[in-house]
Amino acid sequence: MVVLSACLTSKNGKPLVARQFVEMSRIRIEGLLAAFPKLINTGKQHTYVETESVRYVYQPMESLYLLLITNKSSNIMEDLETLRLLAKLVPEFCPELDEDGVREQCFDLILAFDEVLAMGHRENLNLQQVKTALEMESHEEKLHQMIRQSKINEAKEEAKR
């Protein structure tokens, strides 16, 4: 299975967050994303659309679509499993499922996408493992913050004198 891109788009097809996992030109990904709204048919229950070169696997999420663009040789069952995991992750990192909410949390969403997919292939992770990996604390970061806070406190003491 090779996922070319994971994307959150508005219902009218405007890409809000897109992460590519294989090398492709900007023009190609923009073309693939622009073609998606024209291909979906809301009357059907299918959540995938195939073209001659790629497969779009998507899930509606309130006013958005969560979209995976895969190659046609990928396993549709694995694609759907990946889509389900991403669909669980998106509300965890972006409580407001609208354009503004996605814009505010775009970096967290991209990091979550990166944890689930590496080089276009799904990592064997569950929701809790992804959340744990993204919430890990850094000893160096804590140390840096403590040093910074002590310098601020010292500067305040100097200013009082």
Side-chain angles (χ1 to χ4, degrees), residues 119-138:
M119 304 293 287
H121 299 281
R122 183 177 189 273
E123 296 289 326
N124 191 16
L125 299 171
N126 61 31
L127 176 66
Q128 191 57 43
Q129 289 171 319
V130 173
K131 286 173 63 175
T132 301
L134 292 176
E135 292 173 354
M136 284 196 174
E137 296 180 9
S138 166

Side-chain angles (χ1 to χ4, degrees), residues 14-161:
K14 176 183 171 187
L16 304 174
V17 172
R19 178 73 168 113
Q20 287 67 17
F21 297 100
V22 296
E23 188 69 32
M24 67 173 56
S25 69
R26 180 178 175 179
I27 293 171
R28 178 161 188 243
I29 190 63
E30 286 176 350
L32 291 171
L33 291 173
F36 172 68
K38 299 171 191 136
L39 295 171
I40 59 174
N41 186 352
T42 55
K44 294 185 178 181
Q45 290 186 351
H46 300 294
T47 59
Y48 71 93
V49 177
E50 288 188 1
T51 65
E52 61 276 349
S53 59
V54 297
R55 178 183 299 133
Y56 297 92
V57 185
Y58 63 94
Q59 180 170 333
M61 301 182 77
E62 294 181 19
S63 64
L64 307 172
Y65 282 115
L66 176 60
L67 170 66
L68 291 180
I69 302 174
T70 67
N71 60 10
K72 287 183 71 169
S73 64
S74 70
N75 184 335
I76 187 72
M77 297 306 290
E78 288 182 19
D79 295 343
L80 290 170
E81 187 177 326
T82 302
L83 185 69
R84 278 190 212 101
L85 178 57
L86 291 176
K88 289 177 188 175
L89 278 172
V90 169
E92 291 288 328
F93 292 97
C94 183
E96 296 178 31
L97 288 175
D98 59 6
E99 290 187 31
D100 293 332
V102 171
R103 258 188 239 112
E104 290 176 14
Q105 301 298 325
C106 64
F107 292 111
D108 291 334
L109 289 169
I110 288 173
L111 290 173
F113 289 177
D114 283 347
E115 284 296 320
V116 174
L117 293 158
M119 304 293 287
H121 299 281
R122 183 177 189 273
E123 296 289 326
N124 191 16
L125 299 171
N126 61 31
L127 176 66
Q128 191 57 43
Q129 289 171 319
V130 173
K131 286 173 63 175
T132 301
L134 292 176
E135 292 173 354
M136 284 196 174
E137 296 180 9
S138 166
H139 176 71
E140 288 85 13
E141 181 183 8
K142 282 184 179 179
L143 184 62
H144 173 73
Q145 288 174 347
M146 288 173 38
I147 292 170
R148 191 172 133 243
Q149 187 61 43
S150 68
K151 286 182 180 180
I152 290 171
N153 292 341
E154 287 176 14
K156 286 180 181 177
E157 290 295 321
E158 268 309 302
K160 289 181 181 177
R161 292 185 199 168

